[in-house]
Amino acid sequence: MAILKVIEVLANSSKSWEDATSRAVEQASKSVKNIRSVYVNEQSCTVKDGKVDEYRVNVKITFEVN
């Protein structure tokens, strides 16, 4: 049996939602070990001058607690 914990992380990217998700995982992995999965809870973007300016994600990252 494993004990898992979930944290919520907000991240952004000028490229894509996928890149924003990768950034969230990379940032979380600096202080959290044993990451098991990431769930994209919400996606949004900002618009500037009629074009998408920034992609944003709200993700839930699950990791194992030892």
Side-chain angles (χ1 to χ4, degrees), residues 3-57:
I3 297 178
L4 304 175
K5 186 170 184 176
V6 178
I7 58 172
E8 195 166 327
V9 178
L10 305 174
N12 60 341
S13 168
S14 60
K15 296 179 183 177
S16 67
W17 283 300
E18 291 86 356
D19 187 53
T21 302
S22 293
R23 288 173 176 238
V25 172
E26 287 172 17
Q27 189 66 31
S29 69
K30 291 179 181 178
S31 60
V32 174
K33 303 301 176 211
N34 302 319
I35 293 176
R36 293 276 189 96
S37 66
V38 59
Y39 170 77
V40 179
N41 193 40
E42 186 176 51
Q43 295 175 318
S44 63
C45 61
T46 59
V47 176
K48 186 175 182 180
D49 298 325
K51 296 185 179 183
V52 172
D53 181 50
E54 184 177 71
Y55 297 88
R56 296 177 176 176
V57 292

